[in-house]
Amino acid sequence: MAVESILHPSLIVPVGHVEPVPRRIRGLIGGHVVFDTRRALYVWEWQAYPQFSIPVADLVDGVLHDDRHTEQLGAGPAHRHTLHVGDDVRGGAAWMWGEGAPEPLRDTVRFEWEALDTWLEEDEPVFVHPRSPYSRVDALRSSSSVRVEVDGEVLAEASHCVKLFETGLPTRYYLDRTDIDWSKLNRSDTVTRCPYKGTTSSYWSFDGATGPHPDIAWTYDFPTIHANRIAGMTAFYNEHVDLYIDGTALPKPADFGGGTPR
């Protein structure tokens, strides 16, 4: 049997790329609609995923005040603004694109994601950042066997799994609860969110011979509909464990950690 590959499709969208968003996009603070637009743009300030840029004309309750501060962002120069919504003031919440940014971004503004309380695509909430139209997330049942070791101790062994393929990231191997030795794992308080998979239900750490190995596994009890096959299953970071697929050691990929289960 061929050895499992650690290779995966690379990200293809260049920094500075701009595309139209064919969806209604709204942003809310409290009970106020800051903006409501069907003319939003995707703008890639870095390769991994885009941000929304909103036409200034489509602001509803939001009022922007120029902070008179300019920075070079991924897609070009931008002027920082403070957002006022009723009595609520969100300092440095928005960036108005300046001369030198891509032409389609003229008269649009990119909001800091955490500056708003709620983001909506149509009537569905969006978390963490916009989902890239060029990324796929596929969860496929597989008869590949999986063994997980750390410091020579077996933490999990399974005769099958669900493989999660996410554009630009290593394959993740989700295992049934019955295939994991929970006596060796300690639950942590870590919680992370992913726009493609949802919010984690739990993280797990391991204290081994070489010391603590924090947050090496995670579970989604209630993933998004796009990844519903991984519901209640657990995956381990390929980067931080010894992973054997069909009996063959899988080389460790570069560390994609950063606090988000990938």
Side-chain angles (χ1 to χ4, degrees), residues 161-174:
C161 63
V162 169
K163 295 182 182 180
L164 189 130
F165 303 94
E166 186 171 347
T167 303
L169 295 167
T171 303
R172 298 305 188 194
Y173 302 85
Y174 281 81

Side-chain angles (χ1 to χ4, degrees), residues 200-258:
T200 54
S201 307
S202 52
Y203 264 87
W204 306 91
S205 301
F206 171 68
D207 292 328
T210 61
H213 300 269
D215 294 339
I216 61 171
W218 65 88
T219 301
Y220 287 98
D221 283 338
F222 304 101
T224 64
I225 192 171
H226 315 289
N228 60 355
R229 280 183 174 157
I230 66 171
M233 305 183 80
T234 298
F236 289 80
Y237 269 118
N238 310 31
E239 300 88 334
H240 303 310
V241 302
D242 297 317
L243 195 61
Y244 295 83
I245 306 300
D246 293 321
T248 300
L250 190 68
K252 292 181 181 179
D255 191 345
F256 284 83

Side-chain angles (χ1 to χ4, degrees), residues 63-70 78-84 92 94-96:
V63 178
L64 297 174
H65 292 275
D66 193 344
D67 291 346
R68 301 193 179 279
H69 173 80
T70 300
H79 310 297
R80 191 181 67 199
H81 285 65
T82 291
L83 173 64
H84 293 252
W95 296 89
M96 191 90 68

Side-chain angles (χ1 to χ4, degrees), residues 11 23 42 44 47-50 121 125-139 164-169 174 193-199 220 222-228 230 260-262:
L11 300 166
R23 313 171 187 209
Y42 291 118
W44 276 261
Q47 265 197 310
Y49 55 84
E121 287 185 349
V126 189
F127 302 105
V128 187
H129 60 73
R131 293 182 286 262
S132 171
Y134 301 123
S135 292
R136 289 188 57 165
V137 176
D138 296 308
L164 189 130
F165 303 94
E166 186 171 347
T167 303
L169 295 167
Y174 281 81
R193 296 189 297 173
C194 169
Y196 303 100
K197 299 184 288 292
T199 301
Y220 287 98
F222 304 101
T224 64
I225 192 171
H226 315 289
N228 60 355
I230 66 171
T260 301
R262 295 294 196 176

